[in-house]
């Protein structure tokens, strides 16, 4: 019997190797965003009980330089980064930083409030089709629900 040819877009990497690669080469970032045209970014820290990782004010330049695009809205950001595939763990750690029983979506002036989960995994050259698997535990789902937060996911493979 000969080896079968995989379908386009599928990986030939064994599941165990994918998980091993994820464990050692993953970048995981969880960020709480609170955005709004009339958001008082200084007030957000008082309401949530934690200082932001960064604040961007409407009209401030995004980068220095000649063309200098500017931020379109006020943004309060709280981020955690890890080299780990534990999405639930980082999410629970981020939400544990907030005051209990607070609902960020109800902050005055907030137009867009969400948690962003970003995961990038380095894979061997030619293996960009390898799967990235993760899960949200019931604890993480309950925590998101308690705070009334939607979550957005961005997941990608990158070659070294």
């Amino acid at each position: 019997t000969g080896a079968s040819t995989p379908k386009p877009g599928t990986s030939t990497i064994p599941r165990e190797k994918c998980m091993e690669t994820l464990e050692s080469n993953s970048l995981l970032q969880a960020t709480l965003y609170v955005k709004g045209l009339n958001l008082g970014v200084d007030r957000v820290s008082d309401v949530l009980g934690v200082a932001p990782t960064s604040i961007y004010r409407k009209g401030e330049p995004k980068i220095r330089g000649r063309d200098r695009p500017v931020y379109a809205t006020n943004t309060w950001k709280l981020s955690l980064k890890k080299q780990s595939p534990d999405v639930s763990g980082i999410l629970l750690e981020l939400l544990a930083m907030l005051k209990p029983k607070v609902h960020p979506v109800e902050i005055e002036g907030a137009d867009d409030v969400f948690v962003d989960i970003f995961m990038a995994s380095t894979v061997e050259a030619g293996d960009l089709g390898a799967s990235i698997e993760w899960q949200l535990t019931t604890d993480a789902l309950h925590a998101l629900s308690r705070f009334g937060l939607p979550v957005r996911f961005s997941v990608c493979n990158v070659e070294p």
Side-chain angles (χ1 to χ4, degrees):
T1 61
S4 63
T5 305
K7 294 178 188 174
T10 62
S11 174
T12 58
I13 302 173
R15 177 180 165 82
E16 294 78 24
K17 182 159 169 70
C18 284
M19 293 308 291
E20 183 180 302
T21 300
L22 276 174
E23 302 264 341
S24 61
N25 296 313
S26 290
L27 170 64
L28 181 61
Q29 182 171 332
T31 305
L32 172 61
Y33 284 93
V34 181
K35 299 179 174 188
L37 289 174
N38 298 311
L39 180 69
V41 289
D42 298 325
R43 173 98 173 98
V44 175
S45 295
D46 293 336
V47 172
L48 299 181
V50 63
T53 307
S54 54
I55 289 176
Y56 306 111
R57 297 181 196 282
K58 179 181 169 184
E60 285 183 348
K62 289 183 178 183
I63 56 173
R64 299 180 195 277
R66 185 185 295 186
D67 294 333
R68 297 175 43 148
V70 298
Y71 289 100
T73 187
N74 295 319
T75 302
W76 184 99
K77 221 174 111 171
L78 178 64
S79 293
L80 289 177
K81 282 184 187 177
K82 296 196 178 231
Q83 283 195 294
S84 165
D86 185 9
V87 174
S88 291
I90 197 169
L91 182 59
L92 289 168
E93 188 177 338
L94 179 76
L95 297 177
M97 298 169 76
L98 307 179
K99 285 182 183 175
K101 300 184 182 179
V102 70
H103 289 94
V105 295
E106 297 174 0
I107 293 173
E108 186 177 335
D111 301 323
D112 193 16
V113 180
F114 60 95
V115 171
D116 178 73
I117 301 292
F118 172 77
M119 180 186 280
S121 178
T122 304
V123 295
E124 297 297 322
D127 288 333
L128 286 177
S131 67
I132 298 176
E133 296 180 7
W134 49 268
Q135 72 173 358
L136 284 179
T137 62
T138 54
D139 288 343
L141 292 170
H142 286 298
L144 285 167
S145 179
R146 268 195 315 275
F147 288 105
L149 290 167
V151 63
R152 299 176 186 172
F153 296 92
S154 300
V155 182
C156 66
N157 285 335
V158 293
E159 290 182 329

